[in-house]
């Protein structure tokens, strides 16, 4: 039998924990002026946990019982350790679910070999949360040099929203970004307890008003096929068709390829870009990435 919830103490515990955190600690920009009180504001915690400010305020005031998914999101947003997390759930009268420690995802060898053979076709391997697990030199030349992105930030959605170059590379960045958010929501449904996924949603919600609005709209779409128009700084305008292949051994890994009809202007420009990439020796991930 679950213990009776202690909602007043839960609210005080939340207030104490957010007072210990600074914006920089949770990946938020530093405020322009010093704050009168230390710690995070209520609205910042709410954004990081992907809940409304009103909902979070009522939790702190002891006027609302939180669900287990909300408690998990708050534990992640407030950087609680295992003991603090268990205490939070106990105050809510719930048993903290055991955290599933996911092993580090590595690109499947078959996909890695296929990437190395695709010299004239840009291709990347996306894993859980749309993490970029691997890429070929032409994909690095087309989109960005992924090797220069820290591994913990090597996520397609994050790059799309945080790298200013993406907004000029994609001719219709808004359409591409909206689609990516809808695809990411499909991914989120598979892993509702994934702390890294929750953290990424919270970070982008705070930093980008467009992401916050589109995420709240709850549109969904599968990662399948489509077209993209790009204005590349080296080879100019490109019209590419993209498709995905799912690894049979690990369905959480998908090979995304960009192609163009043979003989088309885009096909010829991809060949030029491939020659440029070969001359610049763009990096690809090593075997241990």
């Amino acid at each position: 039998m679950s213990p009776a919830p202690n909602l007043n103490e839960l609210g005080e515990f939340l207030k104490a924990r957010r007072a210990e955190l600074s914006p920089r600690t949770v990946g938020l920009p530093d405020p322009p002026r010093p704050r009168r009180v230390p710690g995070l504001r209520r609205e910042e915690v709410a954004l990081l946990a992907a809940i409304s400010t009103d909902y979070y305020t009522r939790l702190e005031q002891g006027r609302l019982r939180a669900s287990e998914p909300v408690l998990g999101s708050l534990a992640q947003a407030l950087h609680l350790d295992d003991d603090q997390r268990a205490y939070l759930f106990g105050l809510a009268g719930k048993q903290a679910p055991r955290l599933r420690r996911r092993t580090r995802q590595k690109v499947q060898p078959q996909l890695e070999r296929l990437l190395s053979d695709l010299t004239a076709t840009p291709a990347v391997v996306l894993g859980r949360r749309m993490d970029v697990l691997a890429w070929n030199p032409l994909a690095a030349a087309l989109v960005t040099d992924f090797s220069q992105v820290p591994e913990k930030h090597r996520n397609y959605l994050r790059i799309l929203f945080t790298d200013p170059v993406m907004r000029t590379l994609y001719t219709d960045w808004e359409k591409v970004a909206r689609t990516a958010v809808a695809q990411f929501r499909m991914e989120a449904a598979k892993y509702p307890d994934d702390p890294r996924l929750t953290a990424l949603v919270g970070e982008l919600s705070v930093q980008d008003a467009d992401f916050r609005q589109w995420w709240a709209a709850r549109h969904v779409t599968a990662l399948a096929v489509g077209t993209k128009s790009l204005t590349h700084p080296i080879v100019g305008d490109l019209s590419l068709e993209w498709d995905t292949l799912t690894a049979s051994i690990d369905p959480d890994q998908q090979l995304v390829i960009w192609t163009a009809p043979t003989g088309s202007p885009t096909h010829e420009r991809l060949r030029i870009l491939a020659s440029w990439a070969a001359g610049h020796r763009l990096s690809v991930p090593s075997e241990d990435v």
Side-chain angles (χ1 to χ4, degrees):
M1 183 175 178
S2 299
N6 187 343
L7 300 184
N8 288 332
E9 176 58 24
L10 185 146
E12 294 299 322
F13 183 69
L14 290 173
K15 283 191 280 188
R17 297 290 73 79
R18 72 176 171 90
E20 295 176 342
L21 297 174
S22 66
R24 181 175 296 181
T25 302
V26 295
L28 302 180
D30 288 327
R33 297 184 301 274
R35 298 187 174 186
R36 290 180 293 176
V37 293
L40 299 178
R41 295 192 175 101
R42 284 175 174 172
E43 57 266 28
E44 291 170 335
V45 176
L47 278 172
L48 290 169
I51 60 178
S52 72
T53 302
D54 178 66
Y55 187 101
Y56 178 75
T57 299
R58 285 186 286 162
L59 285 177
E60 279 203 358
Q61 293 173 345
R63 298 191 291 122
L64 187 69
R65 293 192 183 192
S67 65
E68 290 185 9
V70 168
L71 292 170
S73 296
L74 287 171
Q76 176 65 29
L78 294 170
H79 291 206
L80 302 187
D81 60 28
D82 290 345
D83 291 339
Q84 292 171 328
R85 184 173 177 274
Y87 183 66
L88 176 68
F89 274 78
L91 291 175
K94 301 182 184 297
Q95 184 71 32
R98 299 184 65 179
L99 290 175
R100 292 180 296 173
R101 305 294 182 182
R102 295 189 182 276
T103 58
R104 183 183 178 191
Q105 199 174 20
K106 294 184 178 180
V107 61
Q108 289 295 318
Q110 299 92 327
L111 294 182
E112 196 168 32
R113 289 193 292 269
L114 183 56
L115 272 179
S116 64
D117 288 340
L118 292 173
T119 57
T121 301
V124 299
V125 176
L126 298 183
R128 293 189 296 266
R129 302 174 296 267
M130 298 174 74
D131 289 340
V132 180
L133 302 181
W135 59 92
N136 63 7
L138 188 49
L142 177 69
V143 182
T144 190
D145 189 352
F146 297 105
S147 67
Q148 299 303 308
V149 180
E151 184 180 352
K152 66 180 181 178
H153 293 157
R154 203 177 289 156
N155 175 278
Y156 177 73
L157 187 72
R158 191 181 192 281
I159 292 170
L160 191 59
F161 276 90
T162 61
D163 186 346
V165 173
M166 296 298 105
R167 297 175 188 255
T168 56
L169 175 65
Y170 289 107
T171 305
D172 190 349
W173 176 87
E174 180 175 332
K175 178 182 177 182
V176 171
R178 280 178 178 269
T179 301
V181 172
Q183 292 166 341
F184 193 71
R185 185 167 277 282
M186 289 281 285
E187 288 293 300
K190 300 178 187 176
Y191 315 107
D193 300 322
D194 188 330
R196 286 186 58 193
L197 189 149
T198 302
L200 180 58
V201 170
E203 175 191 352
L204 294 180
S205 294
V206 171
Q207 293 184 0
D208 194 283
D210 286 333
F211 178 88
R212 185 163 63 249
Q213 177 185 349
W214 299 337
W215 181 257
R218 287 177 166 78
H219 295 304
V220 295
T221 188
L223 185 65
V225 298
T227 59
K228 283 186 171 70
S229 297
L230 292 79
T231 302
H232 196 274
I234 295 175
V235 294
D237 292 339
L238 301 168
S239 180
L240 295 166
E241 300 172 2
W242 60 271
D243 201 346
T244 56
L245 304 173
T246 301
S248 57
I249 298 177
D250 182 0
D252 282 338
Q253 294 192 30
Q254 294 182 306
L255 177 71
V256 182
I257 58 174
W258 291 273
T259 61
T262 302
S264 66
T266 292
H267 184 259
E268 294 303 312
R269 288 165 187 166
L270 279 181
R271 293 178 61 185
I272 295 171
L273 188 59
S275 297
W276 180 91
H280 285 74
R281 299 182 179 276
L282 293 178
S283 300
V284 295
S286 59
E287 294 182 358
D288 61 346
V289 169

